[in-house]
Every structure is written in structure tokens, then in C-alpha cells.
Amino acid sequence: MEVIRLESVSKIFGKGKSAVPALTSIDLTIQKGEFIAIIGPSGSGKSTLLHTIGGLEAPTKGIVKVEGQPIYSLSDEAISILRRRKIGLIFQSFNLVPILNVEENIQLPILLDHQKVDHDYYQDIVDYLGIKDKMYASPSELSGGQQQRVAIARSLIHKPAYILADEPTGNLESKTSEDVISLLQLTAQRYKQTVIVVTHDMKIADRANRVIEIEDGLIKKDVSYA
Ligand code: ADP
Ligand code: MG
């Protein structure tokens, strides 16, 4: 089932002489349950593509549809609700709040959204991510790999249908990176998510069932594996 569709999506930053084309007429469809790696050189448009899909960056031209809905036709409020409820974002810098403990960090998106935490689900994800015994620790007491697990738990807390990760292992050593990706794959299967991971780690790209290569804002290669 097709869940995400980009039609002739272009993004240009700035205007006139300082205009920078980041994406040029991208056409792309994504099926439910795909685990996609986006690779390509620095500055090729990977993050811009991810942000455009995630409702964070409106394209200059073209249409982005999530489940059939052109998301940038929505009001700012509707788009932020869509982002909060459907999309889990993971970044290279874990972006944990230093004055909150692990549990508070994970539950923060739910509390900000004035929703109730599903405690069984919460226990399930922290158990699954192997951070159950760190709930009252402060982020600074955790290793990089543990901090990224907390960030993954936080991105999962809303039960998002889509996980968008921008170089999630960029700050981790290679063994830890593989563990983090394995966990993302496991949680994606468990919670039936569609995952898009930007990476320049080929070991990670090798794990994906589809690899999209971007160069100069264009899709250079798009290969699916069985
Ligand atoms: P990647 O993630 O592949 O490194 P990006 O998507 O971040 O690439 O950037 C693509 C191009 O767009 C680059 O030339 C970058 O400098 C430019 N760019 C990205 N974000 C901005 C911005 N907010 N303002 C101006 N230019 C930007
Ligand atoms: Mg980037």
C-alpha cells in the first residue's frame, strides 16, 4: 500500500543570486512497511528530502502526500498535529533535555500534547530497547548508544506510523550503530512502521530493503531488495 508520494518536489533555499537548489523535481513513492536508506554525499539534499517528507519543510514546488493527503495544503496547526501524531523523528544529536530524567524525556511528547501515556506500551518499548533500568538516570549519565535508544523510545512513544531518522548513528561507534539500527528494524516490524534513515554508513544502508541514492538534489539510484 502506498503511504507517501512526492510529485515533482523541488526545494530552493534563498533567492536570486544566493539561491541554492536542494531538491530538483523529485518523484518518489513509498510503500507501507518499507525500511529505506537514503544515501549520498554531504550537501546532496538528504536532510531536505527527509524534512520535506516529515512536514518540517514545505517544498518550493510540487506536492507531498501522506496517506493521500497533500500535507502542505493543511493549516499550520493541522500539519503540526500530523507531525506529532504520525511521525517519529530521530536526529544525529539526540536532543535529550538535560534537566529531565530518561522517563520524562521519553514521555515528554505525550505530555506536551496533553495526552495520556499508554503505560503498557511504554514498558514494552523501554524493555525492548534495553533501557528499562535507566528510567531515573539523567541523560548525561548515559553512553551515546544509550542516549540514542532513549531518543528512539521518545520517537516511538506516540506510536507513529513513520520513523524518519537523519544520520541517527552519526555520533556512535560502529558496533553501537549496528545495535541501534537492529533495534530500529525490530521496533519497525513490531509496530508495523515505515522507516526512512539517512545515513552515509554503508553497513546500515546494506540492512535496508530499499536504498535511494541522492546526488545534487536528484535521485540517482533507487534499488529495492527482496
Ligand atoms: P545533506 O543532508 O545531504 O547533507 P542538505 O539537505 O542538508 O544536504 O542540503 C542540501 C543543500 O541545501 C546544501 O547545498 C545546503 O547547503 C542547502 N541548505 C540546506 N538547508 C538550508 C537552509 N536552511 N538554508 C539555506 N541552504 C540550505
Ligand atoms: Mg544532512
Side-chain angles (χ1 to χ4, degrees):
M1 187 181 58
E2 176 186 306
V3 285
I4 293 170
R5 182 182 192 90
L6 276 64
E7 295 172 5
S8 313
V9 165
S10 297
K11 177 73 186 182
I12 300 169
F13 287 106
K15 285 207 161 72
K17 267 192 191 161
S18 58
V20 179
L23 298 175
T24 305
S25 205
I26 300 275
D27 289 306
L28 181 63
T29 55
I30 294 174
Q31 307 292 320
K32 184 172 165 64
E34 284 191 296
F35 194 102
I36 299 176
I38 297 181
I39 60 170
S42 177
S44 57
K46 303 182 297 297
S47 296
T48 306
L49 179 62
L50 203 70
H51 296 164
T52 305
I53 293 171
L56 297 165
E57 188 99 71
T60 312
K61 270 193 197 150
I63 299 174
V64 179
K65 290 182 182 166
V66 175
E67 297 170 10
Q69 165 75 54
I71 57 173
Y72 294 102
S73 317
L74 295 168
S75 66
D76 287 353
E77 162 140 36
I79 204 170
S80 75
I81 289 174
L82 172 114
R83 227 171 25 223
R84 264 199 317 252
R85 307 238 167 111
K86 285 217 177 217
I87 294 169
L89 295 168
I90 302 169
F91 299 100
Q92 177 171 357
S93 54
F94 320 118
N95 294 339
L96 301 177
V97 182
I99 57 162
L100 299 180
N101 69 28
V102 164
E103 177 170 278
E104 292 162 338
N105 266 283
I106 295 171
Q107 297 185 355
L108 187 63
I110 294 277
L111 302 175
L112 291 175
D113 198 23
H114 308 290
Q115 305 280 312
K116 279 220 174 86
V117 174
D118 175 341
H119 287 283
D120 289 341
Y121 173 71
Y122 168 73
Q123 288 301 334
D124 196 55
I125 52 182
V126 298
D127 213 2
Y128 219 64
L129 290 167
I131 48 176
K132 200 170 53 173
D133 57 345
K134 299 287 176 198
M135 285 306 112
Y136 305 107
S138 131
S140 63
E141 296 171 286
L142 305 181
S143 69
Q146 288 168 333
Q147 289 187 52
Q148 193 57 302
R149 286 164 195 237
V150 175
I152 292 172
R154 181 186 53 191
S155 79
L156 291 171
I157 194 78
H158 257 304
K159 307 177 183 169
Y162 308 99
I163 295 286
L164 307 183
D166 197 351
E167 311 217 20
T169 62
N171 280 332
L172 304 175
E173 48 190 275
S174 85
K175 169 78 177 74
T176 316
S177 298
E178 294 202 42
D179 290 347
V180 163
I181 290 301
S182 299
L183 282 168
L184 266 182
Q185 283 182 308
L186 286 169
T187 51
Q189 279 169 13
R190 190 172 177 89
Y191 306 118
K192 303 191 168 46
Q193 293 159 327
T194 305
V195 181
I196 309 174
V197 183
V198 167
T199 185
H200 47 232
D201 183 339
M202 284 317 291
K203 269 195 188 152
I204 287 170
D206 281 346
R207 306 261 208 114
N209 53 40
R210 179 173 173 192
V211 180
I212 298 174
E213 193 177 335
I214 309 275
E215 205 177 284
D216 291 332
L218 296 162
I219 293 180
K220 198 182 161 205
K221 249 192 199 171
D222 182 349
V223 185
S224 293
Y225 303 91

